[in-house]
């Protein structure tokens, strides 16, 4: 067997398999890709929020891409508390300055990074958020402090369009 | 598989059978030699077939009234409950039928564990069974999402997020599964499609499961090879048919009790609240039949490792025929295995209990010990037990303890080798 030389037929077999594989792939890919987010879902990718009525120490929740986004207007004490945390002792080290460009406003996805539940506001051991599903505690900067979640709550892309309007996405 | 080639009596039957041997198949099924000592734990195969057909028939009917759309699904289920003629009955049979299906499958699986039905030459039957069990869990999960209540929505969110634990590609896979950036309408429509598909896949696998069973024939409570047909066997019809039928009636009484007297006891009240992506229910728990695995998931503090532990707990069953090194099948002749078997049963029940409790304090500690023991049973106890255990003498045939001797000459010759 091993001494058998490759002949024209072997070449034909290999060429046939290769063309067949490419053809099968070309048919299978649309079948898989149709499940990815479609154009209408992507079209809803940004949302504008009027935050003029939010008082310090209050959080509003808005829906963006089907997910809740927490917008919290933090008090001076909360900002001080968020900045005073020693970065070294965090599971997912991030400075508060990097999470809240304008320290008064914390804008983040209200989705627990463990398995996607919505954490509760002003609960838990760190004065921030607490996820009731599997017990993850977040601080006032939305950073994971205790529990199974692997990372801090995500900060979406956002910008202040004017003093009172935040555009998310 | 019977010794004699079957020939239909009528001329028309013979004509048809020569072209498509359906009558030969029917004859094989009725004459199929079955060990005569099968006890009632062996009736759950028939019961499970009944459960599958019940789910398919009630599911078909429900699909005539259900609307798979995020804005209408919850309302359409209430419409089924209030407006559709007998809709309440059909939906309660379908919802409780899922629980009954799992009740029966757990008894069926633990029957196999006790009597060693997974051992050579029945490994393929066992592995097909595990695949059916996995598909059952998938179908149950997908079906639970369809009413679009709070538990549906958040159950779907938590379970699909398990895939996000996969390094690098996890997030992409989750978005692909959702068809969006959260569980939403595209998720619901595809879940409905797959929920409709899976029962038919299960049906196909059930045919293979039974086909594979009919090659070596049934195991039996004393776990020995028997000659077929012989004094040790009875034909499937009418002996097993009537016994299975009686057990099925008893099972249907339990089934009917749930449907007519406590139709919601196995569900969660939160699922009668429409899905709300902004509020997670305070206490999320899966359906009772998934609780042991949920407890294993939560007992591991790391996200990825937790998911791996949960999947391994199921997949380890597929390796069972090779993890159990004992040549003796039935626990009746394995005094030590019998004790470990009952410890495992208790362990799984404990896991189920702590799975329903909050993952903190003492519950978490118990969950961790029970999880460790679960894996210890399969990975350490079973392989070692096969070498260390002193088994008790196995009879040569089912009739031997009463009549002496054996119809199985091969077993007679090997008698000494069977003594552990």
């Amino acid at each position: 067997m091993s001494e058998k030389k490759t002949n024209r037929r072997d070449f034909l077999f290999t060429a046939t398999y290769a063309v067949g594989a490419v053809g099968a792939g070309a048919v299978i890919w649309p079948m898989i890709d149709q499940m990815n987010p479609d154009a209408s879902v992507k079209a809803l990718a940004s949302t504008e929020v009027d935050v003029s009525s939010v008082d310090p120490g209050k959080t509003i929740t808005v829906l963006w891409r089907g997910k809740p986004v927490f917008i919290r207007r933090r008090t001076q004490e909360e900002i001080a508390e968020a900045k005073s945390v020693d970065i070294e002792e965090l599971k997912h080290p991030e400075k508060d300055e990097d999470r809240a460009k304008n320290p008064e406003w914390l804008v983040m996805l209200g989705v627990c990074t463990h398995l996607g539940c919505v954490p509760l506001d002003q609960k838990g051991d760190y004065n921030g958020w607490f996820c009731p599903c599997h017990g993850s505690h977040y601080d006032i900067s939305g950073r994971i402090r205790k529990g199974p979640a692997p990372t801090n709550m995500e900060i979406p892309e956002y910008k202040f369009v004017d003093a009172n309007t935040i555009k998310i996405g | 598989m019977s010794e004699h080639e079957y020939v239909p009596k009528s001329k028309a039957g013979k004509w048809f059978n020569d072209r498509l041997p359906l009558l030969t198949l029917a004859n094989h099924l009725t004459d199929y030699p079955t060990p005569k000592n099968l006890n009632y734990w062996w009736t759950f195969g028939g019961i499970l077939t009944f459960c599958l057909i019940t789910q398919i028939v009630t599911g078909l009917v429900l699909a005539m009234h259900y609307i798979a759309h995020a804005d209408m699904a919850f309302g359409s289920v209430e419409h089924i409950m209030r407006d559709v003629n007998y809709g309440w009955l059909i939906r309660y049979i379908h919802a409780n039928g899922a629980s009954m299906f799992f009740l029966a499958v757990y008894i069926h699986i633990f029957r196999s564990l006790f009597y060693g039905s997974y051992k050579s030459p029945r490994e393929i039957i066992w592995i097909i069974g595990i695949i059916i069990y996995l598909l059952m869990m998938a179908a149950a999960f997908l079906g639970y999402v369809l009413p679009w209540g709070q538990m549906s929505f958040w159950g779907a969110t938590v379970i699909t997020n398990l895939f996000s634990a996969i390094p690098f590609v996890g997030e992409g896979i989750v978005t692909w599964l959702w068809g969006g950036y959260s569980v939403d309408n595209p998720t619901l429509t595809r879940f409905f499609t797959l929920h409709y598909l899976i029962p038919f896949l299960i049906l196909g696998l059930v045919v293979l499961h039974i086909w594979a069973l009919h090659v070596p024939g049934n195991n039996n409570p004393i776990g020995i090879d028997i000659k077929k047909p012989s004094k040790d066997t009875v034909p499937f019809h009418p002996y097993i048919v009537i016994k299975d039928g009686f057990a099925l009636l008893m099972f249907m009484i339990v089934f009917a009790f749930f449907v007519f007297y406590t139709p919601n006891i196995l569900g969660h009240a939160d699922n009668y609240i429409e899905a709300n992506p902004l509020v997670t229910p305070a206490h999320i728990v899966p359906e009772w039949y998934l609780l042991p695995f949920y407890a294993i998931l939560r007992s591991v503090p790391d996200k990825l490792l937790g998911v791996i532990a949960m999947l391994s707990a199921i997949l380890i069953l597929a390796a069972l025929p090779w993890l159990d090194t004992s040549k003796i099948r039935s626990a009746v002749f394995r005094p030590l295995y019998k004790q470990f078997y009952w410890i495992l049963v208790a362990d799984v029940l404990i896991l189920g209990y702590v799975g329903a409790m909050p993952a903190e304090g003492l519950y978490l500690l118990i969950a961790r010990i029970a999880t460790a023991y679960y894996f210890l049973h399969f990975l350490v106890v079973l392989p070692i037990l096969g070498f260390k255990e002193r088994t008790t003498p196995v009879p040569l045939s089912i009739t031997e303890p009463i009549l002496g001797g054996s119809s199985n000459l091969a077993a007679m010759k090997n008698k000494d080798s069977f003594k552990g």
Side-chain angles (χ1 to χ4, degrees), chain B residues 319-399:
Chain B
L320 183 58
W322 296 276
L323 290 171
D324 184 345
T325 51
S326 175
K327 295 243 183 316
I328 304 296
R329 292 197 192 99
S330 175
V332 171
F333 308 106
R334 301 184 61 192
L336 281 176
Y337 173 72
K338 204 189 281 179
Q339 293 174 31
F340 283 111
Y341 170 84
W342 288 112
I343 295 173
L344 180 73
V345 172
D347 189 62
V348 172
L349 291 175
I350 289 168
L351 279 172
Y353 174 74
V354 293
M357 295 293 136
E360 55 199 26
L362 188 62
Y363 292 126
L364 192 57
L365 180 70
I366 294 171
R368 285 183 177 156
I369 294 168
T371 298
Y373 183 79
Y374 181 91
F375 287 104
L376 216 60
H377 175 89
F378 290 106
L379 294 175
V380 179
V381 174
L382 286 188
I384 293 176
L385 211 54
F387 297 109
K388 297 286 179 196
E389 186 176 36
R390 275 188 67 88
T391 55
T392 55
V394 175
L396 294 173
S397 75
I398 295 169
T399 45

Side-chain angles (χ1 to χ4, degrees), chain B residues 35 42 50 77 130 175 187-188 193 310 344 364 390:
Chain B
W42 258 266
F50 165 81
V77 171
I130 297 298
T175 304
T187 325
L188 177 60
T193 308
M310 184 180 70
L344 180 73
L364 192 57
R390 275 188 67 88

Side-chain angles (χ1 to χ4, degrees), chain A residues 38 41, chain B residues 66-73 148 153 178-180 182-192:
Chain A
D38 61 36
V41 170
Chain B
Y66 171 78
I67 302 166
H69 188 283
D71 296 337
M72 288 180 268
W148 212 240
F153 184 91
W178 287 340
S182 64
V183 173
D184 209 332
N185 193 52
T187 325
L188 177 60
T189 48
R190 69 191 53 180
F191 276 22
F192 180 54

